[in-house]
Amino acid sequence: MARHLQPVEALSALAHDTRLQVFQLLVQAGTEGMTAGAIATAVDVPASTMSHHIATLERAGLAQSERESRMIHYRADYDGMRRLLSFLMEDCCQGRPEMCADLVSAMACRP
Amino acid sequence: MARHLQPVEALSALAHDTRLQVFQLLVQAGTEGMTAGAIATAVDVPASTMSHHIATLERAGLAQSERESRMIHYRADYDGMRRLLSFLMEDCCQGRPEMCADLVSAMACRP
DNA sequence: ACAATATTTCCATATTTCTCAAAATATAGG
DNA sequence: CCTATATTTTGAGAAATATGGAAATATTGT
């Protein structure tokens, strides 16, 4: 049992409205990141509750933290997200090219 | 609140070891699909427990069912999965092309 | 050393999810 | 109509997750 530990943890972390919002915010914030307080304010959730959620994202490999004087800056962990997406795509595509065809065009990042 | 209803439901459905295994099985099974019994046997989970899990996947738009005499065939809902992946990619890529670059090569489905 | 600010950890409670046996439903064949 | 098979629904307890106030920790400035 427990075959998909990491992917399940990452999926689980994103499977929550508040945490998904937070992850989006962090992606938007880019390398700058956001302080815990700014995140809590933006999403309008008490600091302690938010702290739990952020910790969950961090454990799941989807966010990273760095203390900067009194504040702690959080940023999205792109590598973790990439790992999750790769897993899902290899998982869902295995042997079925027709599946991912549209996905490529859905990617807003091509030149 | 509850801003991300559908994506969260789909993520939540996949955020469980058994259900993730089931989804993979269904993808592998292709258009044939698998009966509820075959799935339960393959994953070694009691029928009633499995029924709940499959229902969760179906509600989340990741599986479809079709009765065929006494058995019920389930198949992966590729469209639902594509929707989820699109959401995640647009979400994680917004404005950052460097993020998805590697993803394209991670897709095992290119010719 | 103290006060102020930023954040986390502790703790208790509330809610949701998970599990599976037992009963119910659906279908097919004799 | 009865029996067997396939699956779901019901119901209830166990486990996990979510929430947030209060206390603890970390840092800075005075």
Side-chain angles (χ1 to χ4, degrees):
Chain A
M1 270 160 243
R3 307 166 138 236
H4 300 300
L5 266 190
Q6 281 136 355
V8 165
E9 195 175 9
L11 287 165
S12 207
L14 292 178
H16 186 285
D17 192 61
T18 300
R19 287 193 298 260
L20 191 47
Q21 274 179 253
V22 169
F23 183 76
Q24 263 184 171
L25 271 181
L26 290 181
V27 167
Q28 283 163 6
T31 48
E32 286 278 313
M34 286 177 80
T35 66
I39 298 171
T41 300
V43 182
D44 191 31
V45 157
S48 75
T49 301
M50 184 52 78
S51 183
H52 291 302
H53 287 313
I54 296 178
T56 298
L57 286 170
E58 209 174 0
R59 273 193 306 273
L62 294 168
Q64 291 174 332
S65 63
E66 187 181 4
R67 176 144 234 151
E68 203 153 322
S69 99
R70 267 183 290 208
M71 292 100 135
I72 298 184
H73 279 258
Y74 287 94
R75 1 184 191 55
D77 185 332
Y78 293 100
D79 225 62
M81 188 58 174
R82 225 181 338 242
R83 268 193 295 276
L84 175 58
L85 286 168
S86 291
F87 170 82
L88 290 177
M89 293 206 293
E90 288 174 37
D91 217 35
C92 88
C93 291
Q94 33 182 236
R96 353 210 135 267
E98 73 276 19
M99 161 90 220
C100 345
D102 292 2
L103 281 181
V104 181
S105 56
M107 302 200 336
C109 40
R110 287 169 321 152
Chain B
M1 273 158 244
R3 308 165 137 235
H4 301 299
L5 266 192
Q6 282 135 354
V8 165
E9 194 174 10
L11 287 165
S12 207
L14 293 178
H16 186 284
D17 192 60
T18 300
R19 287 193 299 261
L20 191 49
Q21 274 180 251
V22 169
F23 183 76
Q24 264 184 171
L25 271 180
L26 290 180
V27 167
Q28 283 164 6
T31 48
E32 287 279 313
M34 288 176 79
T35 66
I39 298 172
T41 299
V43 183
D44 191 32
V45 158
S48 74
T49 302
M50 184 51 78
S51 183
H52 289 299
H53 286 313
I54 296 178
T56 298
L57 285 170
E58 208 174 1
R59 273 194 306 273
L62 293 168
Q64 290 175 332
S65 63
E66 188 181 3
R67 175 145 234 152
E68 204 153 321
S69 98
R70 267 182 290 206
M71 292 102 134
I72 299 183
H73 279 258
Y74 287 94
R75 2 185 190 54
D77 186 331
Y78 293 99
D79 225 63
M81 189 59 174
R82 226 184 332 245
R83 267 193 296 277
L84 175 59
L85 286 169
S86 291
F87 172 80
L88 290 177
M89 293 207 292
E90 288 174 38
D91 216 36
C92 88
C93 292
Q94 31 180 241
R96 354 209 133 267
E98 73 276 19
M99 160 91 220
C100 348
D102 293 1
L103 281 181
V104 181
S105 54
M107 299 199 338
C109 42
R110 289 168 320 152

